[in-house]
């Protein structure tokens, strides 16, 4: 396993990060425990979760994934082997059950951190991420931007000041952003400089062969400001495993179970996936491993957040670190991308 510096911090995180959002819904606690054991055995030292998980979000499962991780820490004593990332939810209609509608202001962040620490059974969070912005912008990988002049938003200066306090109190070590835009990341950086507060250490956004929108604007920010990408949904919700080809959708798989997740199932995404599938066949690797190796090998990626619902999937995904993307493969991937530049609007 390769390890990479997280922003300008003294932490070196594994190039593969273990995603957790299915635990507590598609996966039981025991299955989550087994995934953490396996990931650790493969050299993974970085786990990603959120107060909001599991997914799809529901009041009954709010916080359950963090609890499962906390139970595993208690059971195994492995807290010191893991760089632990979690997230505070931003505002939104679908998560009104969280503190009556979560915001990234001082009051909410202080309450959210205490609750996450309790559920995670830990004294400190290594990376505390703002799950999505406290303003309207085109996050979750959407194209298009609609400006809403005069809308009420928590100023980024307030969020940075609160995070600075939480670092000083020893509740969090570093913070990161998620589902952010170039304007958002640069605003955090500028505010941190202005307040002599810590800088954001990372940005967690969607990135995969079906969604390369990060490359426009944010890839440059990631390099120049050392705010590297923690790439989420690298398999486009499982689409890039190839298992949804030819309309034979597997039972108990995310896109079959939760039809509301439709971004990666349109005709354009299906057509692009077919071409990537053919290339993987030609190269003699699984499509999942090719897709994951592509993400992990991008220069602006600090860590690739994989997700799995079984140990077989997890093993295949962890072993993607053995697949390398040579120049010829890169050219072939680019040729497909040129034909289908943005299949997941
Ligand atoms: N910041 C954010 O807003 C945000 C958003 C999304 C995710 N995340 C983070 O990123 C992590 C990963 O995201 P993701 O789950 O969307 O990643 P993904 O790689 O796009 O999808 C993972 C899903 O694909 C299927 N799968 C995985 N490996 C497979 C394989 N080898 N063969 C066949 N199917 C396979 C599994 O679902 P099925 O078995 O159900 O098919 C698995 O749960 C999450 O756990 C979370 O920590 C963050």
């Amino acid at each position: 396993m390769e390890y990479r510096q997280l922003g300008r911090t003294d932490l070196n995180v594994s190039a593969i990060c273990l995603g957790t959002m299915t635990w507590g819904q598609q996966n039981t606690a025991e299955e989550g425990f087994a995934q953490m054991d396996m990931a650790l055995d493969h050299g993974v030292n970085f786990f990603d979760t959120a107060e909001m998980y599991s997914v799809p979000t529901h009041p009954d499962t709010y916080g359950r994934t963090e609890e499962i991780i906390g139970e595993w820490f208690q059971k195994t004593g492995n807290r010191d082997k893991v760089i632990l990332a979690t997230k505070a939810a931003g505002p939104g209609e679908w998560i009104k059950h969280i503190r009556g509608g979560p915001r990234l202001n001082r009051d909410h962040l202080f309450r959210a951190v205490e609750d996450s620490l309790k559920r995670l059974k830990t004294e400190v969070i290594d990376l505390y991420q703002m799950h999505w912005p406290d303003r309207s912008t085109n996050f979750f990988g959407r194209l298009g931007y609609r400006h809403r002049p005069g809308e009420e938003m928590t100023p980024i200066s307030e969020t940075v000041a609160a995070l600075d306090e939480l670092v000083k109190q020893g509740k969090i070590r570093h913070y990161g952003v998620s589902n952010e835009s170039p304007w958002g990341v640069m605003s955090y950086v500028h505010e941190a400089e202005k307040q002599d507060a810590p800088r954001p250490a990372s940005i967690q956004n969607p990135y995969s062969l079906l969604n390369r929108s990060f490359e426009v604007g944010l890839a440059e920010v990631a390099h120049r400001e050392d705010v590297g990408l923690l790439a989420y949904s690298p398999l486009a919700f499982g689409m890039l495993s190839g298992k949804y080809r030819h309309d034979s959708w597997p039972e108990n798989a995310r896109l079959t179970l939760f039809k509301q997740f439709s971004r990666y199932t349109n005709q354009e995404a299906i057509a692009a996936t077919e071409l990537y599938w053919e290339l993987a066949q030609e190269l003699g690797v699984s499509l999942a491993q090719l897709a994951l190796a592509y993400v992990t090998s991008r220069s602006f990626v600090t860590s690739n957040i994989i997700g799995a619902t079984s140990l077989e999937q997890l093993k295949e995904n962890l072993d993607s670190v053995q697949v390398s993307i040579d120049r010829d493969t890169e050219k072939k991937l680019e040729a497909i991308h040129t034909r289908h530049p943005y299949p997941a609007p």
Side-chain angles (χ1 to χ4, degrees), residues 42 60 110 137 159 163 180 227 243 262 271 297 325 328:
H42 281 71
D60 294 345
F110 271 61
T137 182
T159 306
L163 292 166
E180 261 300 357
V227 181
K243 67 184 174 187
S262 58
S297 61
I325 305 287
D328 187 48

Side-chain angles (χ1 to χ4, degrees), residues 19-22 26 48 53 87 131 140 178-179 204 232-238 241 243-244 252-254 288 305-309 313 316-317:
T20 63
M21 73 181 193
T22 56
Q26 271 183 280
D48 175 71
Y53 294 167
K87 312 183 195 82
H131 207 149
F140 296 137
S178 180
N179 296 300
Q204 183 176 142
Y232 79 69
S233 298
L235 290 182
F237 280 16
S241 67
K243 67 184 174 187
Y244 297 97
N252 295 324
R254 188 186 301 173
I305 313 177
I306 59 168
T309 58
Q313 289 178 2
E316 180 179 5
N317 299 351

Side-chain angles (χ1 to χ4, degrees), residues 230 305 327:
L230 309 179
I305 313 177
R327 208 171 271 187

